[in-house]
C-alpha cells in the first residue's frame, strides 16, 4: 500500500511540472534545478528580450506563449517562431551566445518559471540532463524557424493563418486568445487587408469566431484541414486535436 501511495505521489509531483522541457528531465536532475526556478506572471505585450540585447533571465513558459520576432524594417517585425510550454526563452546561452538575436514578445499572458542567466550557465555545467534537454529543444526550435520561413514563402495566407492559430492553441492550451489583425499581419508578414480576408474566410466556414481582438477556434479538425502540411510537422509531440 505504501509503495502504491509513493508511486501516486511521485506521479502527481511530475504532473505539476507544466513546462515540458523541464518535465522531460530525470526527476533527480529536475529537483536539483527546481530551487533556483522562480515563478513569474508574463503580461500580454511584455517584451522579454529586445533584439541584440543582453539575456539577463531565461524563461520556461507554463501557461504563457512568446513570439520570436525578427526586425525587418523600422517599426516592422516578422514572427519567425513561437515558444510555449514545450520550450524556453534564452536557450542560446547554452551555445555561449549572451545576446538575444531576436525580440521576444509575450503573446499569451500566463505563468512561467524564470532563472538568472549566470545561474543558468552554472546549472548547465553541473546538470548534464538539463544540457541535453536544452540541446534537444534548440534542435526543434531550429526546425520550427526554418519550416516557418518556408511556409511564409510558399503557402497562401489563409493556410498560414490556420497553422498559426492551431500552433497558438497548442501552446496556450486554450481555443480562445487575444489577437488583433494588426498584430497578426506582423506575425504572418503580410498586409493587414490580407489577414482580414483570410480571417473572414475562416469565419465564414465556421472554423473560428473573431470579434474585437478575441479569437475562438470553433472547429479544430476543420481548421487543420484548412492549413498547410507545416502544422503536422510543427505540432507538439503527442498532441491530439
Amino acid at each position: 500500500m505504501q509503495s502504491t501511495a509513493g508511486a501516486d505521489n511521485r506521479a502527481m509531483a511530475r504532473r505539476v511540472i507544466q513546462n515540458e522541457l523541464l518535465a522531460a528531465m530525470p526527476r533527480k536532475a529536475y529537483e536539483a534545478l527546481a530551487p533556483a526556478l522562480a515563478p513569474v506572471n508574463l503580461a500580454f505585450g511584455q517584451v522579454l528580450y529586445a533584439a541584440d540585447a543582453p539575456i539577463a533571465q531565461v524563461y520556461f513558459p507554463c501557461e504563457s506563449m512568446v513570439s520570436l520576432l525578427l526586425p525587418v524594417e523600422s517599426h516592422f517585425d516578422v514572427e519567425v517562431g513561437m515558444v510555449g510550454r514545450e520550450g524556453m526563452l534564452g536557450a542560446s546561452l547554452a551555445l555561449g551566445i549572451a545576446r538575444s538575436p531576436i525580440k521576444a514578445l509575450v503573446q499569451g499572458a500566463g505563468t512561467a518559471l524564470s532563472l538568472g542567466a549566470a545561474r543558468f550557465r552554472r546549472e548547465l555545467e553541473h546538470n548534464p540532463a538539463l544540457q541535453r534537454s536544452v540541446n534537444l529543444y534548440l534542435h526543434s526550435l531550429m526546425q520550427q524557424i526554418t519550416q516557418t520561413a518556408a511556409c511564409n514563402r510558399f503557402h497562401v495566407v489563409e493556410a498560414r493563418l490556420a497553422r498559426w492559430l492551431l500552433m497558438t492553441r497548442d501552446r496556450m492550451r486554450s481555443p480562445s486568445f487575444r489577437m488583433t489583425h494588426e498584430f497578426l499581419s506582423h506575425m504572418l508578414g503580410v498586409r493587414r487587408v490580407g489577414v482580414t480576408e483570410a480571417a473572414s474566410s475562416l469565419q465564414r466556414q465556421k472554423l473560428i469566431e473573431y470579434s474585437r481582438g478575441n479569437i475562438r477556434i470553433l472547429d479544430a479538425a476543420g481548421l487543420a484541414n484548412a492549413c498547410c502540411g507545416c502544422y503536422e510537422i510543427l505540432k507538439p509531440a503527442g498532441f491530439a486535436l
Side-chain angles (χ1 to χ4, degrees), residues 36 56-58 93 114-121:
Q57 296 276 330
V58 302
L93 286 170
S114 71
L115 183 64
R119 179 64 182 270
F120 178 66
R121 288 196 186 97

Side-chain angles (χ1 to χ4, degrees), residues 32-37 56 115-125 130:
L33 177 67
L37 298 171
L115 183 64
R119 179 64 182 270
F120 178 66
R121 288 196 186 97
R122 292 198 299 273
E123 292 291 339
L124 285 173
E125 292 177 2
L130 175 62

Side-chain angles (χ1 to χ4, degrees), residues 77-151:
D77 301 320
V78 174
E79 184 181 71
V80 295
M82 59 175 68
V83 181
R85 56 191 167 96
E86 82 290 348
M88 65 171 293
L89 282 300
S92 61
L93 286 170
L95 304 176
I97 309 300
R99 304 182 78 87
S100 177
I102 46 81
K103 176 181 178 180
L105 178 71
V106 178
Q107 190 169 271
T111 59
L113 297 170
S114 71
L115 183 64
R119 179 64 182 270
F120 178 66
R121 288 196 186 97
R122 292 198 299 273
E123 292 291 339
L124 285 173
E125 292 177 2
H126 300 102
N127 195 329
L130 175 62
Q131 180 73 69
R132 285 193 298 271
S133 291
V134 173
N135 288 346
L136 287 171
Y137 174 65
L138 280 168
H139 174 75
S140 68
L141 182 61
M142 288 172 60
Q143 182 184 34
Q144 182 192 154
I145 290 172
T146 53
Q147 191 71 37
T148 298
C151 183

Side-chain angles (χ1 to χ4, degrees), residues 40-64:
V40 293
N41 286 309
L42 304 181
F44 180 79
Q46 180 180 352
V47 176
L48 301 181
Y49 307 143
D52 198 36
I55 298 174
Q57 296 276 330
V58 302
Y59 298 89
F60 299 91
C62 297
E63 297 174 327
S64 53

Side-chain angles (χ1 to χ4, degrees), residues 160-178:
R160 287 156 52 191
L161 176 59
R163 169 189 60 79
W164 188 91
L165 292 171
L166 287 173
M167 290 179 65
T168 299
R169 185 199 69 150
D170 294 349
R171 287 156 178 80
M172 290 297 295
R173 305 188 193 193
S174 171
S176 303
F177 37 87
R178 293 172 55 191

